[in-house]
Amino acid sequence: MTNNIISISDLTRVYAMGEVRVNALVGVSLEIRRGELVSIMGPSGSGKTTLMSILGCLDQPSSGSYRLDGIETSRLSDDQLAWIRRHKIGFVFQGFNLLPRNSALEQVELPMIYTGAGNRRRRAMQALEAVGLADRVLHMPTELSGGQQQRVAIARALVNDPVLVLADEPTGALDTKTSEEIMGLFKRLNEERGITVVLVTHEPDVAAHTRRIIHLRDGRVTGDELTEVGRLATEDVEPGNGKMVAQELKPAPVVPGSAGFRWPRLTFRFPLPNVGARR
């Protein structure tokens, strides 16, 4: 098993707008290890959204390599990319993206329907309990605050036990106090489960909760630094091709009987469709 969840090498993405070519990403190379909590920052037009789309297998690069959990994704077909999204990635969005007529419990059950997972009700209950919503499982989105709706979205992202969680401005629609609570939840789940979280944010205060910040500008990586949280979590940083790569971060232990929740490691094995040229 590779130690890197994400390995990107010389990635480019070019969009053609009539006769104009837009270089959204230019020679991006980076690595993100298992268990890291990383933020991506940059001004508008820096390439953050394009990079997150490629990381989430919603788009593919024009050139270069992107390996997710050891799988080269840059030449996968649409069906293979859909398999990756269902089984290996959890998504959290700024606008929550909850279905208006479904309860919190049903929202969290939905991803498991697409993967064919069993014990859906039990696992959805565990997920909601882990994000502090055990007493809100039958509530509809209109009966939940913004912070509670984002907690439902986080539970939904985690319920299929992904190797990577991608969060796009997860606090952008929340007030300061609620944003702190949501980032505290991301940190706790990262520490207790060792899950890899990559989030995009414009807010330095939000990025400071993560262990590492990757800076983008004009489609290029212009900085890669450990935060104060990251420096406290690890003593060494090893350079590699101009990148700073934090040492592997170990999940914090959970004391039996404490309020900390250790997620059961439930793994569902499905064969990855044969790799072939993208249609």
Side-chain angles (χ1 to χ4, degrees):
M1 179 183 294
T2 177
N3 196 39
N4 291 329
I5 285 292
I6 291 172
S7 295
I8 289 177
S9 178
D10 202 23
L11 205 69
T12 69
R13 184 65 173 99
V14 181
Y15 295 103
M17 303 178 65
E19 296 182 356
V20 178
R21 290 168 58 85
V22 177
N23 296 306
L25 294 176
V26 183
V28 172
S29 296
L30 59 87
E31 294 175 347
I32 295 176
R33 296 190 177 190
R34 294 181 187 276
E36 283 198 88
L37 176 58
V38 179
S39 56
I40 298 174
M41 296 190 69
S44 297
S46 63
K48 301 188 305 297
T49 299
T50 300
L51 179 58
M52 286 290 278
S53 295
I54 292 174
L55 292 179
C57 293
L58 297 167
D59 191 13
Q60 287 190 300
S62 301
S63 64
S65 171
Y66 168 34
R67 298 184 70 85
L68 173 64
D69 198 25
I71 300 172
E72 177 58 60
T73 68
S74 60
R75 292 180 293 276
L76 295 183
S77 69
D78 289 342
D79 287 345
Q80 292 166 335
L81 290 172
W83 187 96
I84 293 287
R85 291 194 298 270
R86 288 195 302 268
H87 296 280
K88 289 189 173 290
I89 305 173
F91 295 91
V92 179
F93 305 96
Q94 177 178 344
F96 319 138
N97 288 15
L98 301 181
L99 300 175
R101 294 185 175 87
N102 291 83
S103 68
L105 186 63
E106 291 168 335
Q107 309 273 356
V108 179
E109 286 182 313
L110 188 60
M112 293 183 284
I113 295 175
Y114 291 106
T115 59
N119 300 314
R120 292 195 294 267
R121 183 59 52 93
R122 177 178 63 83
R123 293 179 65 183
M125 289 288 293
Q126 289 177 330
L128 288 164
E129 179 183 350
V131 299
L133 290 180
D135 58 343
R136 295 287 190 274
V137 296
L138 298 181
H139 284 56
M140 309 296 281
T142 55
E143 300 172 313
L144 300 171
S145 68
Q148 290 170 337
Q149 290 185 59
Q150 193 61 294
R151 287 173 182 266
V152 173
I154 293 171
R156 181 182 60 190
L158 295 176
V159 75
N160 271 333
D161 201 25
V163 298
L164 172 67
V165 170
L166 295 176
D168 186 8
E169 297 282 1
T171 63
L174 305 175
D175 59 44
T176 301
K177 180 177 182 296
T178 308
S179 295
E180 292 282 333
E181 293 173 354
I182 292 299
M183 289 308 301
L185 176 60
F186 273 119
K187 288 174 64 177
R188 178 171 65 82
L189 292 171
N190 169 258
E191 291 169 357
E192 292 178 2
R193 296 192 60 202
I195 196 165
T196 309
V197 180
V198 178
L199 63 89
V200 162
T201 182
H202 287 92
E203 304 174 57
D205 290 347
V206 171
H209 286 277
T210 65
R211 301 184 179 189
R212 178 181 166 203
I213 303 175
I214 297 170
H215 297 273
L216 288 182
R217 182 177 291 273
D218 298 328
R220 295 176 168 87
V221 175
T222 59
D224 192 340
E225 60 178 324
L226 289 176
T227 64
E228 183 64 25
V229 173
R231 285 191 288 272
L232 292 174
T234 181
E235 296 181 355
D236 296 318
V237 175
E238 64 180 36
N241 299 324
K243 303 183 293 294
M244 293 176 64
V245 182
Q247 297 293 317
E248 184 179 10
L249 304 173
K250 302 297 184 181
V254 178
V255 178
S258 70
F261 176 82
R262 183 175 293 281
W263 202 286
R265 191 72 179 177
L266 301 174
T267 302
F268 295 86
R269 299 188 180 277
F270 298 88
L272 180 65
N274 290 333
V275 174
R278 188 177 184 216
R279 293 190 296 273

